[in-house]
Amino acid sequence: MICSVLAAMVLTACVDSNRDNNGSVEINDPGSRIGYTERAVPVNRDGKPADAVTLRFYSDQPNVAYISARAFHHMMLPQQQLAVSRNGDSYELRSRGGQATVNISSDTFSSDDFEAFTNMQSLTGQDIPNVECDESGFVRPKGVEITPKTVHVTLDFHKYGIDLRGDEQDVYLPFTLVNDLYSDLNLRTAGFNGERIVICVNTNRSPIQVVDSTFIIANYQRESVPADLAKYRYQDLCFTIDNILGRTNRSPYEAQWIANGIDHTLEAQGDEGRTVKQLLQSANTAEFVLGMQALQYYVQDGGHTWVNTTRYCPKSILPAVNQRIEKVRSSYPLAARLADEGVKMGQEKLTIQKEMNAVREKVLGKGRYFKKGNTALCVLYTFMELDWEGWPKYYNGGPKPTLEKTPNDELLVFLDAWQRAQADPEVEHFIIDCSTNMGGSTDITTAITSVLYDDSRTYSKNTMTGQHRVCLYDVDRNFDGKYDEKDKEVKNRLNVGVLCSACTWSCGNLFTAQMKDLGALVIGETSGGGACSVQYMSTADGLEYRISSFRDHSTYNGGQSVDPGIEPHKQLDRKNHPESFYDLEALGKLMDEYYK
């Protein structure tokens, strides 16, 4: 099944099998060969032209792009080489971080150190573990403790009808498939739209549509894709949901797709599910997009997973795209209803957030720092807003970001409020208001926990391997631009409280869990949850979507998931008395009682 490359435009290669739509297998004669063509494809790397990459297109799937393992690894990590050695149908892959085995006969990928093998953190420095870090400058990864240290993982592509292929020199995987394996928590990902590749490796929160909006436009301008690409697109999507999507136990259908796969789960839902499957297998672009909108209903997890691809559609063409989808909706009312329900699922937290922001302003007025008696309160609307250009530049010798220039920088807002409270002899209690905070960056939450408690650890679980992780970080605790002994001199004299509500989500939820772990008083109502970090993915034709990642499911120190939300020590009644969340005198009394 392994053959030489002929020096011609149409080349020959060997495959292990051909599969039909229902997944049955017809084994070819070992000496059979299938032709392929190779094409050099232009690459946009973080908005700049990069070296072209050679993709391979086999004659039985002429529109499905394959790439060699070595080429993909080098494309994402230009300073690294992936060593590939062949032993019959098995290929051993060795990167600087780990190793894996690909077998083109069984169509499997296996590894004992999957996280290390797919680690792209070397883009930012040597020997950095595969953990989340947004390169703010004031936080840097220090290490990771994993229990157990290794777990064997085998990913079976055979059951999805996906062929892995090879030649004498390298093993070849579908481009989207190998990208599924590498995409990480730091938004590093790649996509191919049939014309060019776009790579995101800058972790400054830049998914594909930000790097190259015309990449997405080209995808939507197609009325349809070829049948072989449509078939593979569905196969890859099923693999992603069954294996890469982080398990949060929020969707009522999750147990079904874990046990039987999303394809079987859709079939089991009767006419509605079968309609969604039909749309997801369609070659028509508008039908497929409607299918993804309807799929959101089945895989929703509160807001991290968002497979509705129009969320990432450029505004310039969105009206025209929606018009095409509207025509399709009339022919598929069952899917249209599910799509509408999927949108509603994401609205509740936003409604609460809007209402609570209005209540706060009515009770306390506008501002980010409030004080009454011995209690101060700092409002953190989000953990997303930061001077993402200024902070990294500061740690490379530039000027330090200031509130005057970036008044919405949440870290600066926190530091200003904390320093004011620290300097005020009357203040004993410092409450961080996360009641309308729906998340953002762990760099910010890690920096704050380090300042308040000299603790910069996060706890999580890999839902693919079951491994528990303690991620360790260094923090420039005095924010002087240096990591040195002076960081140890930062002290917090204040008692700390956290205010949360049902819309406290994602990193807002994580921060509340960290504070509770560290002994802070949590006040309010059970937070909204959200445990998995996100990663960006692309369909086989280049449409972008987002999922909860298997790589990092946040937990308490003891390993318990934080996804159900954080139970407060002191309950408040938001529905009947929302103003109680911002009654500083009453909050101060709760702090007095807790810390007496």
Side-chain angles (χ1 to χ4, degrees):
M1 289 185 285
I2 310 299
C3 26
S4 306
V5 179
L6 301 181
M9 188 60 186
V10 177
L11 307 167
T12 61
C14 299
V15 297
D16 54 322
S17 62
N18 291 323
R19 295 182 172 85
D20 59 25
N21 286 328
N22 62 18
S24 63
V25 181
E26 177 187 350
I27 302 297
N28 290 334
D29 179 84
S32 66
R33 299 180 177 186
I34 292 179
Y36 61 77
T37 61
E38 288 187 335
R39 175 155 56 99
V41 175
V43 176
N44 176 339
R45 185 181 182 87
D46 282 335
K48 299 178 181 178
D51 292 340
V53 171
T54 298
L55 300 181
R56 182 174 286 189
F57 300 85
Y58 290 89
S59 59
D60 61 335
Q61 294 177 288
N63 298 286
V64 178
Y66 277 68
I67 187 170
S68 74
R70 186 183 285 113
F72 187 90
H73 191 89
H74 183 66
M75 180 185 77
M76 300 303 288
L77 297 157
Q79 80 282 20
Q80 281 194 32
Q81 295 294 327
L82 180 72
V84 179
S85 60
R86 174 194 162 226
N87 181 15
D89 292 342
S90 185
Y91 293 79
E92 297 296 325
L93 314 179
R94 295 183 303 280
S95 69
R96 192 173 75 188
Q99 59 186 27
T101 301
V102 177
N103 189 292
I104 65 170
S105 178
S106 60
D107 291 326
T108 56
F109 172 100
S110 59
S111 178
D112 290 332
D113 45 11
F114 182 78
E115 286 284 349
F117 178 77
T118 57
N119 186 8
M120 292 192 282
Q121 284 287 50
S122 62
L123 287 162
T124 58
Q126 295 287 328
D127 301 320
I128 297 176
N130 198 352
V131 298
E132 184 171 8
C133 187
D134 293 323
E135 293 184 46
S136 59
F138 50 77
V139 171
R140 65 185 185 189
K142 181 179 181 181
V144 60
E145 299 170 357
I146 302 176
T147 308
K149 289 186 177 180
T150 60
V151 171
H152 184 77
V153 171
T154 296
L155 300 173
D156 180 6
F157 304 110
H158 174 94
K159 66 181 181 180
Y160 299 96
I162 298 174
D163 276 319
L164 309 184
R165 298 172 172 180
D167 58 25
E168 294 286 359
Q169 289 77 36
D170 212 337
V171 64
Y172 287 77
L173 297 83
F175 182 93
T176 312
L177 182 67
V178 67
N179 185 63
D180 294 341
L181 304 181
Y182 274 77
S183 292
D184 69 9
L185 305 176
N186 300 299
L187 310 190
R188 299 188 183 100
T189 190
F192 175 60
N193 68 353
E195 299 173 356
R196 66 186 180 280
I197 293 169
V198 171
I199 305 172
C200 302
V201 295
N202 178 353
T203 62
N204 191 8
R205 319 203 72 76
S206 298
I208 287 175
Q209 82 275 8
V210 175
V211 172
D212 183 356
S213 63
T214 60
F215 177 92
I216 305 294
I217 290 175
N219 303 334
Y220 279 110
Q221 286 177 336
R222 300 190 195 100
E223 288 294 329
S224 62
V225 299
D228 63 319
L229 182 57
K231 177 184 175 182
Y232 169 70
R233 180 171 62 183
Y234 179 70
Q235 293 168 326
D236 178 76
L237 181 64
C238 289
F239 165 77
T240 298
I241 294 173
D242 292 353
N243 299 276
I244 305 297
L245 181 63
R247 298 170 183 180
T248 63
N249 200 32
R250 281 181 168 264
S251 168
Y253 303 94
E254 182 176 304
Q256 295 182 50
W257 86 62
I258 290 174
N260 304 309
I262 190 65
D263 179 79
H264 185 275
T265 300
L266 292 175
E267 284 284 351
Q269 306 315 311
D271 290 342
E272 285 186 347
R274 285 192 289 270
T275 298
V276 175
K277 178 178 175 178
Q278 176 186 346
L279 291 169
L280 292 173
Q281 292 177 316
S282 175
N284 180 274
T285 299
E287 289 183 355
F288 174 76
V289 171
L290 176 60
M292 292 291 276
Q293 291 178 341
L295 181 63
Q296 177 68 27
Y297 174 82
Y298 291 111
V299 301
Q300 64 82 24
D301 56 15
H304 281 155
T305 294
W306 201 261
V307 297
N308 179 353
T309 61
T310 53
R311 181 176 180 136
Y312 309 103
C313 180
K315 293 181 180 180
S316 62
I317 63 167
L318 186 57
V321 171
N322 284 336
Q323 188 175 19
R324 288 164 59 192
I325 297 171
E326 194 61 36
K327 292 180 180 179
V328 173
R329 282 169 60 94
S330 62
S331 300
Y332 298 96
L334 294 178
R337 186 187 68 79
L338 292 179
D340 292 341
E341 289 297 318
V343 171
K344 290 179 183 178
M345 290 174 176
Q347 297 300 314
E348 183 180 2
K349 291 184 185 67
L350 293 175
T351 299
I352 296 172
Q353 182 188 52
K354 182 178 180 180
E355 292 172 350
M356 293 299 282
N357 278 331
V359 172
R360 183 198 295 112
E361 184 172 335
K362 181 179 179 181
V363 174
L364 294 177
K366 294 182 178 180
R368 305 295 291 273
Y369 179 80
F370 303 93
K371 174 199 164 185
K372 188 163 188 178
N374 68 350
T375 304
L377 181 142
C378 170
V379 181
L380 296 181
Y381 291 125
T382 175
F383 290 122
M384 180 68 73
E385 293 294 332
L386 193 81
D387 186 349
W388 288 108
E389 292 186 4
W391 280 106
K393 288 181 179 178
Y394 170 57
Y395 283 88
N396 282 296
K400 187 175 183 178
T402 63
L403 269 178
E404 290 72 26
K405 292 184 177 180
T406 51
N408 293 322
D409 184 309
E410 296 294 317
L411 178 63
L412 293 175
V413 168
F414 161 77
L415 290 174
D416 176 71
W418 176 68
Q419 288 163 357
R420 290 168 66 179
Q422 284 266 93
D424 189 334
E426 190 178 23
V427 174
E428 299 175 16
H429 309 311
F430 185 66
I431 298 175
I432 301 173
D433 179 5
C434 290
S435 61
T436 58
N437 190 315
M438 293 181 65
S441 171
T442 56
D443 278 21
I444 302 175
T445 62
T446 301
I448 295 175
T449 60
S450 182
V451 167
L452 296 176
Y453 286 99
D454 194 13
D455 191 295
S456 55
R457 295 170 293 178
T458 63
Y459 303 90
S460 63
K461 179 181 179 180
N462 182 312
T463 65
M464 178 188 291
T465 66
Q467 292 167 293
H468 286 270
R469 312 193 316 163
V470 182
C471 299
L472 311 172
Y473 297 89
D474 286 324
V475 178
D476 178 20
R477 299 180 70 231
N478 60 7
F479 302 93
D480 66 353
K482 302 174 183 178
Y483 291 85
D484 54 27
E485 292 297 314
K486 292 182 179 180
D487 293 321
K488 296 179 181 179
E489 299 173 4
V490 176
K491 305 295 180 184
N492 171 49
R493 71 169 185 83
L494 302 168
N495 301 319
V496 180
V498 179
L499 199 59
C500 64
S501 79
C503 74
T504 303
W505 166 256
S506 192
C507 272
N509 182 67
L510 168 63
F511 177 73
T512 305
Q514 290 173 313
M515 290 292 99
K516 189 174 184 180
D517 255 345
L518 293 167
L521 174 64
V522 178
I523 308 170
E525 64 179 343
T526 302
S527 59
C532 285
S533 297
V534 300
Q535 64 185 84
Y536 280 82
M537 314 294 287
S538 291
T539 62
D541 58 331
L543 296 177
E544 194 167 21
Y545 63 100
R546 190 180 79 181
I547 62 171
S548 284
S549 175
F550 72 91
R551 294 180 185 271
D552 194 282
H553 180 112
S554 299
T555 69
Y556 289 104
N557 189 349
Q560 180 185 3
S561 172
V562 303
D563 200 87
I566 314 308
E567 291 286 342
H569 298 102
K570 301 293 183 179
Q571 291 275 353
L572 300 178
D573 185 355
R574 175 182 57 82
K575 294 182 179 179
N576 295 308
H577 300 287
E579 70 282 353
S580 65
F581 279 68
Y582 311 111
D583 183 341
L584 266 183
E585 183 175 356
L587 294 177
K589 291 179 179 178
L590 292 176
M591 294 287 287
D592 285 338
E593 179 183 341
Y594 182 77
Y595 283 103
K596 68 182 179 181

